Amino acid sequence: MAYNFHFDVVDLPPECTELRREVRAFLRSEIAAGTFTPDSERAPFEVARAFAKKVGARGWIGMTWPKQYGGQERSHLERYVVVEEMLAHRAPTRFYGTADRQSGPVLIRYGQESVRREILPKIAAGELCFCIGLSEPNSGSDVFAASTRATKTDGGWLVNGRKIWTSNAHNSDYMIALLRTSAPTKENRRHGLTQFLIALKTPGITTRPIINLTGGHDFNEVTFDDAFVPDAHLIGDVDMAWKQATDELAYERSGPDRWVETLPVLTELVRTAGPAPGDRLAEGIGREVAHLATLRRMSLSVAGMLQAGKSPVVEAAVVKDLGTNWEQALPNQVRLLAPPRGDSDPDTNDTRFEEALRHTTLIAPKLTIQGGTREVLRGIIARGLGLR
Ligand SMILES: Cc1cc2nc3c(=O)[nH]c(=O)nc-3n(C[C@H](O)[C@H](O)[C@H](O)COP(=O)(O)OP(=O)(O)OC[C@H]3O[C@@H](n4cnc5c(N)ncnc54)[C@H](O)[C@@H]3O)c2cc1C
């Protein structure tokens, strides 16, 4: 059936202006106090951990969640403003970002009450870090081919197998994992998968680093060898996780945090161009900013739909596809507009520009893979539009 696909125009309500002022003032005072430098990708993890507690104390983690679970019952648009300001200041949100964006909402929707009461307030306080256990060596885009098994035992489940590309697993307290609990059926190849909350300190779990293209340690391989997970940590219905995992991916794909990773190279270009760039540079910057402004309107529209209780799976996929293509191409566009000279004086703006260009060029290839590849997103969009 064809999907009625649209992006409503959303204007931020007045309370968002006040909140934006508050968040900006907080971030500027934290930068001035030396809590973090506006360079989130390189912040040591301990900085991110300490920062999470400060953000939690302000009530800016789990903002939309019910108060009984440590939330603030604020709107998705208010959350959008906080995320946007964190990104604009390149704040180190790595400790709490995943839990705030998707793990917490999954627990609210499908977790057991005892887990909600125990875990959610700690996430909201900035005390717990989460990672996502979907991908496996033979199950990437096709997450529903997962073969890491959970087998029923007394009082819980025994987990055996391997997850891969797990961002931040080495720093995380918990993983939400998609595990095989029975075989797929003839009628539904997605049947037989179940989500679990797994405490990563559990005996039988080994985390090994995988070094990325920039030389950094961000993702990991996580091996389970008879790791015990209690019944209370079962999320949702046994064998039926494909429905809830799809919801989780919509949360994962809907925010601006998914398409502004290379933006610093544009802000550095604007800085080095100064107030009177030549015509060619001004036009080039104008083009990129026009793309950015359009993506922002679309992303805001998705936040508005979430606020209205809708499930904008297709719209979120469109924003992620357009957004990640734009952010991936950006370093090269900037290089064409302002080729680096390579002989810059250290401590000058030029060096900062060249460093931003180097770093964003190296991270660009991953952007259209993480959170769903370009081809897979287009498949989702096509299906949503009734084209396949
Ligand atoms: C930086 C980064 C962080 C990540 N973090 C996590 C994480 O925290 N947790 C986690 O679980 N995973 C994580 N991943 C893994 C990511 O989700 C997978 O890499 C991704 O889903 C693709 O899977 P794959 O690598 O197995 O590639 P494959 O699925 O093997 O795909 C290979 C190529 O084939 C194409 N392809 C596959 N299927 C189709 C199809 N049906 N139609 C058309 N083309 C298709 C793909 O688009 C791709 O180009 C991360 C990846 C990156 C790059």
Side-chain angles (χ1 to χ4, degrees), residues 98 101-102 130-143 163-169 175-176 212 218-220 249 252-253 258 261 363 365-377 379 383 388:
T98 301
R101 181 182 66 209
Q102 64 192 82
F130 271 65
C131 63
I132 306 161
L134 292 173
S135 307
E136 299 183 9
N138 296 313
S139 157
S141 298
D142 187 10
V143 288
K163 293 286 175 187
I164 199 166
W165 316 124
T166 325
S167 301
N168 243 339
M175 169 192 282
I176 290 190
N212 66 23
D218 190 19
F219 41 44
N220 302 272
L249 290 174
E252 179 170 359
R253 289 170 184 156
R258 273 310 190 190
E261 273 195 67
I363 63 168
K366 70 162 185 163
L367 300 169
T368 51
I369 303 174
Q370 63 187 12
T373 66
R374 177 189 285 147
E375 293 75 15
V376 165
L377 287 170
R383 190 175 299 114
R388 62 185 278 244

